């Protein structure tokens, strides 16, 4: 009987070494750059500090994955917002809290 697993484990996602710089360049070129670039830089800095403490690049990989996802889904979000979806019947939580007082 072998102690080896019957399947190969899936390695964790690791972006290419240049992925963060490429991602930052794409964020800077996006129309949301004014808000997205500082947010990415905050996330990256926090993950870098955590990585230094833990000796693990996992947090850095997560930041890259998260922001790649945001960029990938931005066109769909834009299309939804431009579709004219009527959200006038949504609940205004501030108004709801005001009624309870």
């Amino acid at each position: 009987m072998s102690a080896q697993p019957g399947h190969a484990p899936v390695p964790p996602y690791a972006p290419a070494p240049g992925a963060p710089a490429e991602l930052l360049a794409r964020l800077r070129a996006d129309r949301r750059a004014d808000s997205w670039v500082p947010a990415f830089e905050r996330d990256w800095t926090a993950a870098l500090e955590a990585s230094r403490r833990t000796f693990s690049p996992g947090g850095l990989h997560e930041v890259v994955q998260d922001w790649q996802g945001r960029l990938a889904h931005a066109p769909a979000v834009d299309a939804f917002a431009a579709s004219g979806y009527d959200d006038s019947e949504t609940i205004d939580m501030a108004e709801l809290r005001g009624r309870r007082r």
Side-chain angles (χ1 to χ4, degrees):
M1 180 169 267
S2 172
Q4 298 297 320
H7 66 283
V10 177
Y13 168 79
E22 178 186 319
L23 180 58
L24 185 56
R26 290 179 56 207
L27 290 170
R28 286 182 175 144
D30 193 274
R31 68 178 181 80
R32 301 166 189 84
D34 290 344
S35 60
W36 278 15
V37 169
F40 171 78
E41 289 173 341
R42 278 190 305 271
D43 291 352
W44 184 256
T45 300
L48 189 58
E49 288 303 317
S51 175
R52 288 179 180 147
R53 285 191 310 274
T54 64
F55 298 101
S56 171
L60 297 169
H61 297 170
E62 288 175 19
V63 169
V64 170
Q65 270 186 304
D66 181 43
W67 282 95
Q68 286 173 335
R70 289 180 192 194
L71 273 174
H73 291 95
V77 172
D78 291 341
F80 177 76
S83 72
Y85 175 75
D86 180 14
D87 65 350
S88 62
E89 294 183 24
T90 60
I91 298 172
D92 181 354
M93 294 305 292
E95 182 181 331
L96 186 62
R97 282 190 284 272
R99 287 185 191 169
R100 284 193 243 162
R101 292 181 184 173

